[in-house]
């Protein structure tokens, strides 16, 4: 089971990646607009925006939920095994059929329902 879905993040590729254009703002001395002036863009790359980051958050949250669910399942299974072992060890052994079988286990309340015999 894959706990995390990877995403392939791509860099933006352009002719002049660090070049910017500075344009004076009319009527405002010493104020400029800065814009990209990268030349030919050969690959747009993965956008760094809310949609991309929210998708990352969602995938991380899903992965944590999957791991927690898996750990809870394993913990519950372990608790059932421990409860069954404890119940079986508490009985005197008079025959091969003299043991308890766990029918259900509620980890929230700690309730263990059993039946006797094989």
């Amino acid at each position: 089971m894959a706990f995390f879905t990877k995403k392939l993040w791509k860099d933006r590729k352009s002719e002049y990646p660090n070049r910017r254009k500075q344009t004076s703002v009319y009527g405002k001395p010493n104020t400029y607009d800065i814009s990209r002036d990268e030349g030919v863009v050969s690959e747009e790359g993965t956008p760094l925006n809310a949609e991309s980051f929210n998708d990352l958050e969602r995938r991380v949250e899903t992965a944590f939920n999957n791991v927690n669910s898996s750990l809870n399942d394993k913990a519950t299974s372990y608790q059932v095994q421990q409860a069954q072992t404890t119940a079986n060890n508490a009985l005197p052994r008079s025959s091969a059929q003299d043991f308890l079988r766990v029918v259900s286990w509620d980890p929230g309340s700690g309730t263990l329902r059993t039946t006797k015999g094989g």
Side-chain angles (χ1 to χ4, degrees):
M1 167 188 230
F3 288 111
F4 182 76
T5 305
K6 284 187 172 187
K7 178 178 182 172
L8 180 61
W9 295 80
K10 294 184 178 184
D11 288 331
R12 180 180 175 92
K13 295 180 183 173
S14 64
E15 191 176 13
Y16 307 106
N18 295 320
R19 185 185 286 174
R20 300 295 179 258
K21 182 178 178 181
Q22 180 176 317
T23 307
S24 297
V25 175
Y26 179 77
K28 293 191 176 187
N30 299 320
T31 303
Y32 304 93
D33 286 331
I34 307 295
S35 59
R36 288 179 169 167
D37 191 18
E38 299 174 279
V40 176
V41 177
S42 58
E43 186 171 331
E44 283 296 326
T46 306
L48 301 179
N49 57 28
E51 183 181 346
S52 293
F53 290 118
N54 287 332
D55 176 60
L56 176 61
E57 292 282 325
R58 181 194 54 76
R59 290 182 295 117
V60 169
E61 179 182 37
T62 299
F64 273 107
N65 289 341
N66 288 342
V67 168
N68 284 333
S69 177
S70 178
L71 290 174
N72 287 336
D73 291 348
K74 289 184 186 328
T76 299
S77 174
Y78 177 76
Q79 289 171 335
V80 168
Q81 289 172 356
Q82 291 300 330
Q84 189 172 20
T85 300
T86 301
N88 289 340
N89 289 339
L91 292 176
R93 296 276 185 204
S94 58
S95 72
Q97 297 296 312
D98 195 15
F99 64 92
L100 291 178
R101 179 184 298 141
V102 172
V103 177
S104 68
W105 166 254
D106 178 8
S109 68
T111 304
L112 176 69
R113 220 180 85 214
T114 62
T115 60
K116 188 173 180 180

